[in-house]
Amino acid sequence: QMQLVESGGGLVQAGGSLKLSCAAKGSIFSITSMGWYRQVPGKQRELVAVIASGGRTDYADSVKDRFTISRDNAKNTVYLQMNSLKPEDTAVYYCNLKSYINSWSPVSITWGQGTQVTVSS
């Protein structure tokens, strides 16, 4: 069974930095994409950044030029480097994995348990 192990959240002052990590544990045949979403109470979960298997990246407009997503393929781990953090970045951040467990399975979508990021003003 696939599991995503997240780490790196916490409390930081505005203008500071944090780095989130997410490691995929389990049987993986191939990865389509790994990414980060965030959610605040009362709002829908939103995409922050995603990196596809070929290395293509996409970012929410609100985090472009401040956040960087990267991936270590050997470790099945994705990172989110967050710089110049703002109070509006405060949210629970969730890791997301789209993968295949074998060559004939449908795509599997897995979510991490979430890690809190709080940015104080």
Side-chain angles (χ1 to χ4, degrees):
Q1 186 171 346
M2 183 61 60
Q3 182 182 15
L4 299 179
V5 180
E6 302 169 352
S7 61
L11 173 65
V12 65
Q13 287 189 330
S17 298
L18 282 174
K19 186 174 184 178
L20 306 182
S21 300
C22 172
K25 308 290 186 183
S27 177
I28 298 176
F29 175 72
S30 67
I31 292 176
T32 299
S33 68
M34 295 186 78
W36 291 94
Y37 290 70
R38 65 188 181 187
Q39 189 171 23
V40 297
K43 291 191 176 182
Q44 286 191 328
R45 192 171 297 187
E46 63 175 7
L47 173 70
V48 176
V50 62
I51 183 166
S53 58
R56 174 187 164 183
T57 57
D58 285 308
Y59 295 90
D61 287 342
S62 60
V63 307
K64 280 180 181 177
D65 300 324
R66 298 189 299 123
F67 291 10
T68 302
I69 190 169
S70 60
R71 190 173 130 189
D72 184 332
N73 292 330
K75 296 181 179 179
N76 289 331
T77 298
V78 66
Y79 306 95
L80 185 68
Q81 177 66 48
M82 304 184 292
N83 299 328
S84 302
L85 282 160
K86 304 175 180 179
E88 50 264 43
D89 294 318
T90 296
V92 178
Y93 284 69
Y94 295 90
C95 181
N96 173 272
L97 167 70
K98 295 184 175 66
S99 65
Y100 295 92
I101 61 173
N102 52 51
S103 61
W104 60 87
S105 66
V107 64
S108 173
I109 299 174
T110 307
W111 291 95
Q113 78 281 4
T115 185
Q116 177 70 45
V117 171
T118 303
V119 184
S120 63
S121 57

